[in-house]
Amino acid sequence: MGPIGIFGGTFDPIHYGHLRTALELLEGLSLAEVRFIPCSQQPLRDQPIATRDVRLSMAKVAVESDARFSVDARELEREGVSYSVDTLMGLRAEHRDRSLCLLLGMDAFLSLPSWHRWEELIGLAHIVVAHRPGWQAPTDGVLGKLVREHSTEVPQDLSTSRSGRIFITPVTQLEISATSLRKLIRKGFDPKYLVPKGVGTIIAETGCYSEERIGCVND
């Protein structure tokens, strides 16, 4: 079977930028599936605005039209800060011989040395870095060393081994950010065409990004 793509984030809210990136990586790298894993609390970011349940519901409705996409709630069910190394260890225990690909944006990749036990990630999964055309991978420092030692330009390498490679590839970058989306919604604008219809419905019904933040005080 093909590799499993692992796409983590707060998804506060999930939007078409996330979905387009996931689709291009799935098709371009012949991934069998992409699992979206909403985090409970990222160690390097503020607490999410929407509750766990609301973000999980938005993620599920966003991916329901594509059978190759799924949502994994393990980080929301785990207490405390969400660390990628813990998630990958759990997935590796479930899929001992399967290729796993951790899907990251370039910004996340550049911050990798600040992640908890980040040196262990490459032994648990491949790292796929999606970036906008024209960006270059780091060539110096600890990340430059990591890229030199593990980089591949052959997508098939992600299928023939279960972990240990870094693959950097350009994708279509939709200029949508969750932060900007929340600000737009808080001002009363409709997020239509920026998020899937079902996500927009949940946002409207819960009022999760309104000034009053109805129904979205974090649990």
Side-chain angles (χ1 to χ4, degrees), residues 150-179:
H150 297 278
S151 181
T152 180
E153 297 181 357
V154 181
Q156 290 79 5
D157 287 346
L158 304 179
S159 298
T160 56
S161 59
R162 67 174 201 158
S163 62
R165 308 309 296 265
I166 295 176
F167 187 87
I168 301 175
T169 183
V171 297
T172 302
Q173 291 283 322
L174 303 182
E175 295 298 327
I176 306 172
S177 77
T179 300

Side-chain angles (χ1 to χ4, degrees), residues 8-12 37-52 55 73-84 86-87 116 213 218-219:
T10 54
F11 302 124
D12 190 25
I37 305 184
C39 74
S40 176
Q41 170 62 49
Q42 287 190 346
L44 303 178
R45 292 192 178 185
D46 294 335
Q47 183 79 357
I49 302 300
T51 63
R52 300 176 187 182
R55 289 186 292 116
R74 70 181 65 216
E75 290 191 358
L76 297 177
E77 295 166 353
R78 194 166 64 220
E79 293 298 324
V81 175
S82 301
Y83 292 119
S84 294
D86 295 331
T87 298
H116 179 61
R213 291 170 56 183
N218 277 276
D219 47 12

